[in-house]
Amino acid sequence: MGCESLFYTLFITLSVALITYNVLISSNAPLRTEFPGPTHLRLDPVIQMPKDRRPSDSNSGKARLFHTAVTATDSVYSTWQTRVMYYWFKRFKDLPGSDMGGFTRILHSGKPDKHMEEIPTFVADPLPGGMDQGFIVLNRPYAFVQWLEKADIPEEYILMAEPDHIIVKPIPNLSKDGLSAAFPFFYIEPKKYETVLRKFFPVEKGAITDVDPIGNSPVIIEKDNLKKIAPTWMNVSLAMKKDPEADKAFGWVLEMYGYAVASALHGVGNILYKDFMIQPPWDLEVGKKFIIHYTYGCDYDMQGKSTYGKIGEWRFDKRSYSDSPPPRNLPMPPAGVPESVVTLVKMVNEATANIPNWGE
């Protein structure tokens, strides 16, 4: 009850004064309250790098390994995706061009599962009863707060990823000069929702363009920066969910807006790296990308024509496997289907063929 009371006290504080709420920001004691320092990133890092950043160590010969962290539940749906993701992580980890270090599945179910020996796992508690308000994704920032507080993470950088990410080539450390590397999402539109966002990112904190069009994943970030951002990300997301206007405006991407705002509040800028990943079926080629994000269903007729929005004669949709994992040797798509989709199915098939006890 003590933990739950603490969180509801925070809720009340955030609700009474959303514009001037106290941000939780200490690496070692994240319940210390104060605002982050002034926002000092005023230039879009895609256009021009700020000149006041520290020199890059990317060419110094110093290793810049990052730790890959994936938040997950113990559901069948989440578990099979995480197992596939971890298979491909291991395949590319030690190849030339990789800065990939360790790996952790942050399991926010509150209890161990049968895959603890297969996948390096940190067990985090879910939010106290009712606090996620039926939106399970709100457990993600709380899980990161716990992991960053309690785990021994040797790498100085973190890649935040998700179960439905397939790594397609070795990933270098794409961050630079104190800037994180993040994928820009077309549906994260801070300017469009400026009126709502100003409840959580007050005018005195900076221009609305300081809020980047990102979520927390995929993002490569300095560990120390994430330790500052994570508690704020958690509290901003909870406050947004509690606010009817923000909840309606942001819907299923609410927690992504929470991260973008938290990053801006702490003055952590982002290189908006469009080549970070692809999202089939909209993106047609793998090209130079590093991750396939298979969040959308892929539906085609037998002539290889997309039937998106209508179940196709051939389809691959992760939601078809909510209660049981996909079988080994899924049928390949018909001729004419984009390379991105073909690659996705090939990689799922290779993983399931080689992961022990698949489908049991």
Side-chain angles (χ1 to χ4, degrees), residues 40-59:
H40 56 276
L41 180 64
R42 288 290 177 267
L43 300 176
D44 186 341
V46 173
I47 300 171
Q48 180 179 353
M49 291 292 181
K51 299 182 185 301
D52 61 346
R53 297 281 174 173
R54 63 181 176 278
S56 172
D57 59 359
S58 58
N59 296 317

Side-chain angles (χ1 to χ4, degrees), residues 57-78:
D57 59 359
S58 58
N59 296 317
S60 66
K62 179 182 177 182
R64 299 201 313 139
L65 297 180
F66 56 81
H67 194 103
T68 299
V70 178
T71 53
T73 71
D74 60 359
S75 69
V76 171
Y77 178 69
S78 180

Side-chain angles (χ1 to χ4, degrees), residues 18-19 189-203 206-209 211 240 243-247 249-250 257 261:
L18 286 171
I19 295 179
E189 303 176 275
K191 185 64 178 177
K192 178 179 178 180
Y193 294 105
E194 179 172 3
T195 301
V196 180
L197 286 174
R198 284 304 186 187
K199 296 181 181 181
F200 314 96
F201 187 70
V203 172
I208 200 65
T209 52
V211 180
M240 284 179 172
D243 181 276
E245 185 180 19
D247 190 26
F250 303 146
Y257 275 99
V261 167

Side-chain angles (χ1 to χ4, degrees), residues 316-335:
F316 177 80
D317 187 338
K318 65 179 183 178
R319 296 161 193 81
S320 301
Y321 307 105
S322 297
D323 300 321
S324 60
R328 285 172 166 159
N329 197 28
L330 288 168
M332 293 301 297

Side-chain angles (χ1 to χ4, degrees), residues 49-107:
M49 291 292 181
K51 299 182 185 301
D52 61 346
R53 297 281 174 173
R54 63 181 176 278
S56 172
D57 59 359
S58 58
N59 296 317
S60 66
K62 179 182 177 182
R64 299 201 313 139
L65 297 180
F66 56 81
H67 194 103
T68 299
V70 178
T71 53
T73 71
D74 60 359
S75 69
V76 171
Y77 178 69
S78 180
T79 300
W80 73 255
Q81 294 173 48
T82 308
R83 296 179 78 193
V84 170
M85 197 275 184
Y86 183 55
Y87 172 86
W88 285 106
F89 167 87
K90 291 187 295 181
R91 281 288 306 273
F92 290 114
K93 175 183 181 297
D94 296 321
L95 296 184
S98 167
D99 285 320
M100 299 155 68
F103 183 100
T104 298
R105 174 183 62 150
I106 306 176
L107 184 64

